[in-house]
Each structure stands twice: as structure tokens, then as C-alpha cells.
Amino acid sequence: MRTILITGASGGLAQEMVKLLPNDQLILLGRNKEKLVQLYGNHPYAELIEIDITDDSALETLLADLHLRYDEIDVLVNNAGYGIFEEFDQISDQDIHQMFEVNTFALMNLSRRLAARMKESRKGHIINIVSMAGLIATGKSSLYSATKFAAIGFSNALRLELMPYGVYVTTVNPGPIRTRFFDQADPDGSYLKSVERFLLKPDAVAKKIVKIIGKNKRELNLPMLLNLAHKFYTLFPKLADKLAGETFNYK
Ligand SMILES: NC(=O)c1ccc[n+]([C@@H]2O[C@H](COP(=O)([O-])OP(=O)(O)OC[C@H]3O[C@@H](n4cnc5c(N)ncnc54)[C@H](OP(=O)(O)O)[C@@H]3O)[C@@H](O)[C@H]2O)c1
């Protein structure tokens, strides 16, 4: 039986992943225990943990305890994250610090702590749920993109460091997914409306993620059209900026 730790476990994408993992030992982290119990109280092998993942000493204590009780944590899914789609001058200093704490620093801290153990046991898989916004920057996503570009940079280096030990690091970079993410990112619903036709279904994304658990996959970029857009963006950045700023300026 695999032991899989997932952060942001009460989120839309996490809920769909959990549905596809009925036979695994799950360690589900969230900010609200009641919510976790409501969602996963019936899962036969789920340990539900309320924690503030931005508190690194709380993470340290939790992981020390988990390592006493579980032989190994085989898979870490860093899923917690949120966005605010605003012009850069509408973003506060507090927004900047808080979003980096959740989207980037917590992901780095959990990765480094678990990777150290995985390295010792010469197996393991870290799956970082990042975003297409970490590969392609668009207007009104300066802060969100910065947190996600940083998470990808970290993951890419970590992958190289862990390669000799047989530990895998995968980044998952989806385009817009229909979850409650947009309640906060886009409260008036205008962005959501403009990308309606491209919206990914959370169950479909979850299925693709679950399929690559334990596989040495570098990145999972979804949907295919945005993966192509990412390749184009890398090859022709100036033209891509023009298109992103004009024709495809959905936010
Ligand atoms: N939806 C999209 O369009 C989209 C696209 C690309 C990438 N993503 C990424 O996919 C991941 C999952 O998002 P989702 O679509 O499932 O959205 P979601 O339904 O809003 O779930 C995100 C989860 O992250 C945790 N979280 C949010 N804000 C937090 C905070 N301030 N402190 C700690 N934890 C916080 C929450 O988990 P708890 O309440 O359990 O603590 C929340 O349920 C995120 O990293 C997101 O950036 C989403």
C-alpha cells in the first residue's frame, strides 16, 4: 500500500484525486479539520490533519510524528495554492508575502523535508501542482505567476538533485480548471466567463495526475493546446507577449 500525503486536501482538484485513490494510505492536510472530516470521513485509509502549512515549525513537528508512525511517505502532492487576478498596483505587500508563503515556501519546505527521507530510502515521488501560469505569464497574474514560476524553478533543480537517488519530481501545470479557485482569484467571474470554453474538468485533471504517480515524468502540461502555447512562448517570447497582451488577454 502506498502512503500519499496531499496538501490543500479540501480543494476541488484534491477531492477528485482522493476519489481515485481508495486503496492507498492517505495523509490529507487542510486548514479545517471539520471540512476534511465531512469530505473524507468515510475513506478507509485517510488520516486527516488540520495544519497551517505556512508554519514551518508545525510542519517539522508533524513530519517527525508521521515518520514515527509510517515507514515511508512514498508520494508528496503539493497541491495547496490560490491566486488573485489583479493589476500589479492593486496587490498589497501582505498579498505578496501570503501567496508566496502558501504557493511557494510551503511547497519548498515540505519538499525539502520529505525529499531528505526519500533520498535516504532511494525512492519516492514529489508531485508539485503548479500552473500554466508558472510557464506563461499573462496580465493580472504578476503575483500568482511569480509564485508559480518560482515553484517550477525550485522543482526543476530539485529533480536534478534527486535524479541519482531514484526519486522523481513532477510539475503539473494545468490551464484553468473548474474549481472554487476562481471564487477568490476572480470574484466577479469575468475571467472565468472568458475562458469558459477552455475550462478543464477537475476529475479529468485528477485522473491524469493519479496515472503518473510513481512514474518518472518531468512535467504534465494541460490541456494540449496550452502546452503548445507554452512551447511557442518559449521559442518566440516577443511575439508571444504581443499575443498574450492583445488577442489572448482574457484576465
Ligand atoms: N483551478 C484552476 O484553474 C487552477 C489552474 C492551475 C493550477 N491550479 C492549482 O491547483 C491547485 C489546486 O487548486 P484547486 O483548483 O483545487 O483550487 P481550490 O478548490 O481553491 O483548492 C485549493 C486548496 O488550496 C488550499 N489553500 C488555498 N488557500 C490557502 C491558504 N491561504 N493557505 C493554505 N492553504 C490554502 C486550500 O486547501 P484547504 O482548505 O484544505 O486548506 C484549498 O482548498 C492550486 O495549487 C492551484 O494554484 C489551479
Side-chain angles (χ1 to χ4, degrees):
M1 190 190 258
R2 300 174 297 189
T3 301
I4 303 176
L5 187 153
I6 304 177
T7 67
S10 46
L13 185 56
Q15 286 179 43
E16 297 301 328
M17 284 191 269
V18 171
K19 278 187 201 161
L20 300 170
L21 300 167
N23 300 315
D24 292 284
Q25 173 63 55
L26 302 182
I27 303 167
L28 302 176
L29 272 48
R31 286 170 296 174
N32 183 315
K33 177 93 180 229
E34 259 172 52
K35 214 162 148 189
L36 292 171
V37 172
Q38 247 175 33
L39 289 168
Y40 308 120
N42 290 329
H43 191 289
Y45 314 109
E47 174 165 355
L48 311 176
I49 297 170
E50 178 174 306
I51 189 169
D52 173 6
I53 56 166
T54 68
D55 177 350
D56 187 47
S57 66
L59 283 183
E60 187 181 14
T61 309
L62 171 70
L63 292 181
D65 172 52
L66 291 175
H67 284 306
L68 289 176
R69 291 185 295 113
Y70 295 96
D71 272 354
E72 226 124 47
I73 295 172
D74 305 294
V75 183
L76 162 65
V77 184
N78 276 305
N79 167 73
Y82 71 99
I84 303 172
F85 296 152
E86 286 284 6
E87 303 271 350
F88 77 95
D89 50 5
Q90 300 299 312
I91 294 165
S92 69
D93 179 54
Q94 200 196 352
D95 290 335
I96 293 174
H97 284 266
Q98 181 59 22
M99 202 184 293
F100 266 96
E101 288 283 355
V102 177
N103 292 7
T104 318
F105 302 152
L107 171 148
M108 292 171 73
N109 279 328
L110 265 165
S111 299
R112 80 185 165 86
R113 291 188 183 287
L114 280 173
R117 292 280 181 145
M118 290 175 175
K119 206 170 143 180
E120 267 174 34
S121 53
R122 295 191 162 256
K123 63 181 166 61
H125 193 173
I126 297 175
I127 300 179
N128 289 335
I129 312 298
V130 196
S131 175
M132 214 15 101
L135 295 171
I136 301 175
T138 53
K140 287 198 181 172
S141 77
S142 57
L143 172 55
Y144 184 61
S145 269
T147 66
K148 296 289 188 178
F149 267 74
I152 291 182
F154 169 76
S155 307
N156 286 349
L158 187 68
R159 179 183 307 111
L160 301 183
E161 290 185 27
L162 293 176
M163 208 181 263
Y165 301 93
V167 178
Y168 307 146
V169 178
T170 303
T171 52
V172 176
N173 305 307
I177 314 168
R178 192 182 292 280
T179 65
R180 302 202 67 157
F181 172 89
F182 290 101
D183 292 0
Q184 184 173 10
D186 172 47
D188 74 3
S190 54
Y191 171 66
L192 195 60
K193 208 165 164 205
S194 64
V195 294
E196 185 89 48
R197 62 191 183 283
F198 308 118
L199 275 182
L200 292 161
K201 292 199 180 107
D203 55 336
V205 177
K207 213 168 161 182
K208 293 215 155 111
I209 297 170
V210 165
K211 227 171 151 179
I212 55 111
I213 290 179
K215 304 221 168 93
N216 190 5
K217 178 130 179 109
R218 184 180 196 275
E219 58 192 313
L220 181 59
N221 302 328
L222 308 163
M224 202 159 61
L225 195 65
L226 282 181
N227 188 29
L228 286 176
H230 150 59
K231 308 253 184 264
F232 181 82
Y233 183 87
T234 312
L235 287 172
F236 308 106
K238 230 169 135 177
L239 181 56
D241 270 358
K242 199 168 154 52
L243 290 171
E246 294 167 6
T247 324
F248 300 111
N249 190 4
Y250 293 121
K251 291 190 185 94

